[in-house]
CSV table of all heavy atoms in Angstrom, one decimal:
chain,number,residue,atom,x,y,z
J,88,PHE,N,-7.6,-1.3,-6.4
J,88,PHE,CA,-6.4,-1.3,-5.5
J,88,PHE,C,-6.8,-0.7,-4.2
J,88,PHE,O,-6.4,-1.2,-3.1
J,88,PHE,CB,-5.3,-0.5,-6.2
J,88,PHE,CG,-4.2,-0.2,-5.3
J,88,PHE,CD1,-3.2,-1.1,-5.0
J,88,PHE,CD2,-4.0,1.1,-4.8
J,88,PHE,CE1,-2.1,-0.8,-4.2
J,88,PHE,CE2,-3.0,1.5,-4.0
J,88,PHE,CZ,-2.0,0.5,-3.7
J,89,PHE,N,-7.5,0.4,-4.2
J,89,PHE,CA,-7.8,1.1,-2.9
J,89,PHE,C,-8.9,0.4,-2.2
J,89,PHE,O,-9.0,0.5,-1.0
J,89,PHE,CB,-8.2,2.6,-3.2
J,89,PHE,CG,-7.0,3.5,-3.4
J,89,PHE,CD1,-6.6,4.0,-4.6
J,89,PHE,CD2,-6.2,3.8,-2.3
J,89,PHE,CE1,-5.5,4.8,-4.7
J,89,PHE,CE2,-5.1,4.6,-2.4
J,89,PHE,CZ,-4.8,5.1,-3.6
J,90,PHE,N,-9.8,-0.4,-2.9
J,90,PHE,CA,-10.8,-1.2,-2.2
J,90,PHE,C,-10.1,-2.2,-1.4
J,90,PHE,O,-10.4,-2.5,-0.2
J,90,PHE,CB,-11.7,-1.9,-3.2
J,90,PHE,CG,-12.7,-2.8,-2.6
J,90,PHE,CD1,-13.7,-2.4,-1.9
J,90,PHE,CD2,-12.5,-4.2,-2.8
J,90,PHE,CE1,-14.6,-3.3,-1.3
J,90,PHE,CE2,-13.4,-5.1,-2.3
J,90,PHE,CZ,-14.5,-4.7,-1.5
J,91,VAL,N,-9.0,-2.9,-1.9
J,91,VAL,CA,-8.3,-3.9,-1.2
J,91,VAL,C,-7.5,-3.2,-0.1
J,91,VAL,O,-7.4,-3.8,1.0
J,91,VAL,CB,-7.3,-4.6,-2.2
J,91,VAL,CG1,-6.4,-5.6,-1.4
J,91,VAL,CG2,-8.1,-5.4,-3.2
J,92,ALA,N,-7.0,-2.0,-0.3
J,92,ALA,CA,-6.3,-1.2,0.8
J,92,ALA,C,-7.3,-1.0,1.9
J,92,ALA,O,-6.9,-1.0,3.1
J,92,ALA,CB,-5.7,0.0,0.2
J,93,GLY,N,-8.5,-0.6,1.6
J,93,GLY,CA,-9.5,-0.4,2.6
J,93,GLY,C,-9.8,-1.6,3.4
J,93,GLY,O,-9.9,-1.6,4.7
J,94,LEU,N,-9.9,-2.8,2.7
J,94,LEU,CA,-10.1,-4.1,3.4
J,94,LEU,C,-9.0,-4.4,4.4
J,94,LEU,O,-9.2,-4.7,5.5
J,94,LEU,CB,-10.3,-5.2,2.4
J,94,LEU,CG,-11.5,-5.2,1.5
J,94,LEU,CD1,-11.4,-6.3,0.5
J,94,LEU,CD2,-12.8,-5.4,2.3
J,95,GLU,N,-7.8,-4.2,3.9
J,95,GLU,CA,-6.6,-4.5,4.7
J,95,GLU,C,-6.4,-3.5,5.9
J,95,GLU,O,-6.1,-3.9,7.0
J,95,GLU,CB,-5.3,-4.4,3.8
J,95,GLU,CG,-4.0,-4.7,4.5
J,95,GLU,CD,-4.0,-6.1,5.2
J,95,GLU,OE1,-4.7,-7.0,4.7
J,95,GLU,OE2,-3.3,-6.3,6.2
J,96,LEU,N,-6.8,-2.3,5.6
J,96,LEU,CA,-6.7,-1.3,6.7
J,96,LEU,C,-7.7,-1.6,7.8
J,96,LEU,O,-7.3,-1.6,9.0
J,96,LEU,CB,-7.0,0.1,6.1
J,96,LEU,CG,-7.0,1.3,7.1
J,96,LEU,CD1,-5.6,1.5,7.6
J,96,LEU,CD2,-7.5,2.6,6.4
J,97,LYS,N,-8.9,-2.0,7.5
J,97,LYS,CA,-9.9,-2.3,8.5
J,97,LYS,C,-9.4,-3.6,9.2
J,97,LYS,O,-9.6,-3.7,10.4
J,97,LYS,CB,-11.3,-2.5,7.9
J,97,LYS,CG,-12.4,-2.7,8.9
J,97,LYS,CD,-13.7,-2.6,8.3
J,97,LYS,CE,-14.8,-2.7,9.4
J,97,LYS,NZ,-16.2,-2.7,8.8
J,98,ARG,N,-8.9,-4.5,8.4
J,98,ARG,CA,-8.5,-5.8,9.0
J,98,ARG,C,-7.4,-5.5,10.1
J,98,ARG,O,-7.3,-6.1,11.1
J,98,ARG,CB,-7.9,-6.7,7.9
J,98,ARG,CG,-7.2,-8.0,8.4
J,98,ARG,CD,-8.2,-8.9,9.1
J,98,ARG,NE,-7.6,-10.2,9.4
J,98,ARG,CZ,-6.7,-10.4,10.4
J,98,ARG,NH1,-6.4,-9.3,11.2
J,98,ARG,NH2,-6.2,-11.5,10.7
J,99,GLU,N,-6.4,-4.6,9.8
J,99,GLU,CA,-5.4,-4.3,10.7
J,99,GLU,C,-5.9,-3.7,12.0
J,99,GLU,O,-5.4,-4.0,13.1
J,99,GLU,CB,-4.3,-3.4,10.0
J,99,GLU,CG,-3.5,-4.1,9.0
J,99,GLU,CD,-2.6,-5.2,9.6
J,99,GLU,OE1,-2.1,-5.0,10.7
J,99,GLU,OE2,-2.3,-6.2,8.9
J,100,PHE,N,-6.9,-2.8,11.8
J,100,PHE,CA,-7.4,-2.1,13.0
J,100,PHE,C,-8.3,-3.0,13.8
J,100,PHE,O,-8.4,-2.8,15.1
J,100,PHE,CB,-8.2,-0.8,12.6
J,100,PHE,CG,-7.3,0.4,12.4
J,100,PHE,CD1,-7.1,0.9,11.1
J,100,PHE,CD2,-6.6,1.0,13.4
J,100,PHE,CE1,-6.2,2.0,10.9
J,100,PHE,CE2,-5.8,2.1,13.2
J,100,PHE,CZ,-5.6,2.6,12.0
J,101,VAL,N,-9.0,-3.9,13.2
J,101,VAL,CA,-9.9,-4.8,13.9
J,101,VAL,C,-9.3,-6.0,14.5
J,101,VAL,O,-9.5,-6.4,15.6
J,101,VAL,CB,-11.1,-5.1,13.0
J,101,VAL,CG1,-12.0,-6.2,13.7
J,101,VAL,CG2,-11.9,-3.9,12.7
J,102,ALA,N,-8.4,-6.7,13.7
J,102,ALA,CA,-7.9,-8.0,14.1
J,102,ALA,C,-6.4,-8.1,13.9
J,102,ALA,O,-5.8,-9.2,14.2
J,102,ALA,CB,-8.6,-9.1,13.3
J,103,GLY,N,-5.7,-7.1,13.4
J,103,GLY,CA,-4.3,-7.2,13.1
J,103,GLY,C,-3.5,-6.4,14.2
J,103,GLY,O,-3.9,-6.1,15.3
J,104,ASP,N,-2.3,-6.1,13.8
J,104,ASP,CA,-1.3,-5.4,14.7
J,104,ASP,C,-1.8,-4.1,15.2
J,104,ASP,O,-1.5,-3.6,16.3
J,104,ASP,CB,0.0,-5.3,14.0
J,104,ASP,CG,0.8,-6.6,14.0
J,104,ASP,OD1,0.4,-7.5,14.8
J,104,ASP,OD2,1.8,-6.7,13.3
J,105,LEU,N,-2.6,-3.3,14.3
J,105,LEU,CA,-3.0,-2.0,14.7
J,105,LEU,C,-4.0,-1.9,15.8
J,105,LEU,O,-4.3,-0.8,16.3
J,105,LEU,CB,-3.5,-1.2,13.4
J,105,LEU,CG,-2.4,-1.0,12.3
J,105,LEU,CD1,-3.0,-0.2,11.2
J,105,LEU,CD2,-1.2,-0.3,12.9
J,106,ARG,N,-4.6,-3.1,16.1
J,106,ARG,CA,-5.6,-3.0,17.2
J,106,ARG,C,-4.9,-2.9,18.6
J,106,ARG,O,-5.6,-2.5,19.5
J,106,ARG,CB,-6.5,-4.3,17.2
J,106,ARG,CG,-5.8,-5.6,17.7
J,106,ARG,CD,-6.6,-6.8,17.5
J,106,ARG,NE,-6.1,-8.0,18.1
J,106,ARG,CZ,-5.1,-8.7,17.6
J,106,ARG,NH1,-4.6,-8.4,16.5
J,106,ARG,NH2,-4.7,-9.8,18.3
J,107,ASP,N,-3.7,-3.3,18.6
J,107,ASP,CA,-2.9,-3.1,19.9
J,107,ASP,C,-2.1,-1.8,19.8
J,107,ASP,O,-1.2,-1.7,18.9
J,107,ASP,CB,-1.9,-4.3,20.0
J,107,ASP,CG,-1.1,-4.3,21.3
J,107,ASP,OD1,-1.1,-3.3,22.0
J,107,ASP,OD2,-0.6,-5.4,21.6
J,108,LEU,N,-2.4,-0.9,20.7
J,108,LEU,CA,-1.8,0.4,20.6
J,108,LEU,C,-0.3,0.3,20.7
J,108,LEU,O,0.5,1.1,20.1
J,108,LEU,CB,-2.3,1.3,21.7
J,108,LEU,CG,-3.8,1.8,21.5
J,108,LEU,CD1,-4.2,2.6,22.7
J,108,LEU,CD2,-4.0,2.5,20.2
J,109,ARG,N,0.2,-0.6,21.5
J,109,ARG,CA,1.7,-0.7,21.7
J,109,ARG,C,2.4,-1.2,20.4
J,109,ARG,O,3.4,-0.7,20.0
J,109,ARG,CB,2.0,-1.6,22.8
J,109,ARG,CG,1.6,-1.1,24.2
J,109,ARG,CD,1.8,-2.2,25.3
J,109,ARG,NE,0.9,-3.3,25.0
J,109,ARG,CZ,0.8,-4.4,25.8
J,109,ARG,NH1,1.6,-4.5,26.8
J,109,ARG,NH2,0.0,-5.4,25.5
J,110,ARG,N,1.7,-2.1,19.7
J,110,ARG,CA,2.3,-2.6,18.5
J,110,ARG,C,2.1,-1.6,17.3
J,110,ARG,O,2.9,-1.5,16.4
J,110,ARG,CB,1.7,-4.0,18.1
J,110,ARG,CG,2.1,-5.1,19.0
J,110,ARG,CD,1.5,-6.4,18.6
J,110,ARG,NE,2.3,-6.9,17.4
J,110,ARG,CZ,3.3,-7.7,17.4
J,110,ARG,NH1,3.8,-8.1,18.6
J,110,ARG,NH2,3.9,-8.0,16.3
J,111,ALA,N,1.0,-0.9,17.4
J,111,ALA,CA,0.6,0.1,16.3
J,111,ALA,C,1.5,1.3,16.4
J,111,ALA,O,1.7,2.0,15.4
J,111,ALA,CB,-0.8,0.5,16.4
J,112,ALA,N,2.0,1.6,17.5
J,112,ALA,CA,2.8,2.9,17.7
J,112,ALA,C,3.9,3.0,16.7
J,112,ALA,O,4.1,4.1,16.1
J,112,ALA,CB,3.3,3.0,19.1
J,113,VAL,N,4.7,1.9,16.5
J,113,VAL,CA,5.9,2.0,15.6
J,113,VAL,C,5.5,2.2,14.2
J,113,VAL,O,6.0,3.2,13.6
J,113,VAL,CB,6.7,0.7,15.8
J,113,VAL,CG1,7.9,0.8,14.9
J,113,VAL,CG2,7.2,0.6,17.3
J,114,PRO,N,4.6,1.4,13.5
J,114,PRO,CA,4.3,1.6,12.1
J,114,PRO,C,3.6,2.9,11.9
J,114,PRO,O,3.8,3.6,10.8
J,114,PRO,CB,3.5,0.4,11.7
J,114,PRO,CG,3.0,-0.2,13.0
J,114,PRO,CD,4.0,0.1,14.0
J,115,VAL,N,2.7,3.3,12.8
J,115,VAL,CA,2.0,4.6,12.6
J,115,VAL,C,2.9,5.7,12.7
J,115,VAL,O,2.9,6.7,11.9
J,115,VAL,CB,0.8,4.7,13.7
J,115,VAL,CG1,0.2,6.1,13.7
J,115,VAL,CG2,-0.2,3.6,13.4
Side-chain angles (χ1 to χ4, degrees):
F88 167 80
F89 279 107
F90 175 72
V91 175
L94 292 174
E95 180 60 27
L96 181 66
K97 187 171 182 179
R98 171 68 176 75
E99 287 294 328
F100 275 110
V101 173
D104 282 347
L105 295 182
R106 75 185 188 280
D107 184 345
L108 291 179
R109 291 171 299 179
R110 294 184 71 92
V113 177
V115 169

